[in-house]
Amino acid sequence: MLSTIISSAESFIISNVSLAVFVGCILEQIIVPIPASLIVLSSTFLVMQGATFSIMALGTLIMKIVIPASLGITVGSLIYYILAYKLGTPFIERTGKYLGVSVEDVEKVGEHINESRYDDVFIFIARCLPIIPAIAINLFCGLIRYDIKKYLVTTFFGSAVQILGWGLLAWFSGNIYHALEAKVSFLGNVVLVIIVLVVVGFIIYSRRQSRKEENN
């Protein structure tokens, strides 16, 4: 029963992976505890399992996982960008404890950006590397009223770089897993055959010993 449910869930995700990733990454930006990396890793593992590396397979990863995930992150991040843009610091002070971010966290993002000579480059890199919490970047950009066009471009392409990294990791890890699974399965079959032969041999030996004792 459980295996049937799991199999059905996997089939549904594979058939609707782009939509599932898109919606999942929107929710990840709104509901902070859901990690986008987990969404991408699990989806890529299911979609790319067993696929050998090629330009066509890479294109599949980009079209089905990277682009939908990056769009989802970009759309979802606009929620807190707009709220900070409209409501300012008081919004962060009132909701920070629920969002897992404080005014100090947002101010630290500002300090890092001020230390950088190029704001756009820093925000792009911050999106590529998951070092600074995404929600802190979203709130800060809204707070300083960072240009919306630049925000959308840096968020999408920066997220795309990060998602591609997670996707490649899941893809290659999945291939290693399947290679090991095949070897483990083969070794398991060999061990099973050996056990069966030992059991059969023991039965035959026992019967022969019983017959010898009967004859004596």
Side-chain angles (χ1 to χ4, degrees), residues 12-169:
F12 176 80
I13 292 173
I14 292 172
S15 301
N16 304 275
V17 66
S18 296
L19 178 61
V21 168
F22 175 70
V23 174
C25 286
I26 289 177
L27 294 175
E28 180 267 339
Q29 289 294 303
I30 300 171
I31 307 172
V32 180
I34 304 175
S37 56
L38 181 60
I39 297 171
V40 173
L41 288 169
S42 56
S43 300
T44 303
F45 184 84
L46 291 175
V47 173
M48 304 301 294
Q49 54 182 324
T52 55
F53 184 80
S54 66
I55 298 300
M56 185 175 294
L58 181 61
T60 299
L61 174 65
I62 293 172
M63 293 302 294
K64 290 190 174 183
I65 304 292
V66 176
I67 292 178
S70 302
L71 284 172
I73 290 172
T74 303
V75 172
S77 71
L78 282 172
I79 300 295
Y80 293 117
Y81 170 89
I82 293 171
L83 288 172
Y85 188 99
K86 296 291 185 182
L87 304 176
T89 303
F91 168 76
I92 302 173
E93 291 174 339
R94 288 196 299 268
T95 62
K97 62 181 179 180
Y98 303 109
L99 301 176
V101 67
S102 64
V103 174
E104 289 74 20
D105 294 328
V106 177
E107 289 175 348
K108 285 180 182 178
V109 176
E111 291 173 5
H112 288 303
I113 290 179
N114 290 332
E115 291 173 0
S116 172
R117 293 180 60 187
Y118 305 101
D119 297 355
D120 301 337
V121 174
F122 177 85
I123 293 174
F124 171 77
I125 294 174
R127 295 292 190 186
C128 294
L129 305 174
I131 299 173
I132 300 174
I135 189 169
I137 301 173
N138 303 341
L139 291 169
F140 175 78
C141 289
L143 199 60
I144 66 170
R145 300 194 170 186
Y146 182 67
D147 182 74
I148 185 64
K149 292 180 181 178
K150 291 181 178 180
Y151 177 83
L152 293 173
V153 170
T154 54
T155 299
F156 176 81
F157 286 103
S159 299
V161 172
Q162 182 184 154
I163 296 302
L164 180 60
W166 287 119
L168 291 173
L169 176 63

Side-chain angles (χ1 to χ4, degrees), residues 184-199:
V184 170
S185 178
F186 172 75
L187 290 174
N189 291 333
V190 170
V191 172
L192 180 61
V193 170
I194 292 173
I195 292 172
V196 170
L197 291 175
V198 169
V199 171

